[in-house]
Amino acid sequence: MKVRTCGIDLAKSVFAIHAVDVHGRACLCRQLRRQDMAAFFARMEPCLVGIEACASAHYLARKLTELGHSVS
């Protein structure tokens, strides 16, 4: 599975993840707990990640950037 773009819907404790491949087809749709996010994205190849704008988005964006992902 080659993820090109990933979107994250942030919530208090469970985040919804949706990703598409290079052809624009959905290749990943799952929910993750806050404490599992870093490990999940550390295993992924770097990709473009879109994050919902909210108070915790800046913290998560910094973490994902440290892992090599591009965040918008």
Side-chain angles (χ1 to χ4, degrees):
M1 167 182 62
K2 175 75 171 155
V3 172
R4 179 179 185 149
T5 307
C6 186
I8 305 174
D9 181 23
L10 302 175
K12 190 174 231 176
S13 58
V14 177
F15 300 156
I17 311 294
H18 179 80
V20 295
D21 63 13
V22 294
H23 303 290
R25 289 182 287 224
C27 61
L28 176 70
C29 186
R30 70 170 16 167
Q31 292 184 340
L32 292 174
R33 292 177 298 174
R34 180 179 295 273
Q35 60 267 26
D36 299 332
M37 288 290 290
F40 176 79
F41 279 96
R43 291 188 305 266
M44 277 180 85
E45 290 185 35
C47 64
L48 174 63
V49 180
I51 302 177
E52 172 191 15
C54 69
S56 63
H58 296 290
Y59 171 79
L60 184 57
R62 283 191 302 271
K63 288 293 185 186
L64 292 173
T65 302
E66 290 172 5
L67 294 172
H69 298 282
S70 299
V71 180
S72 64

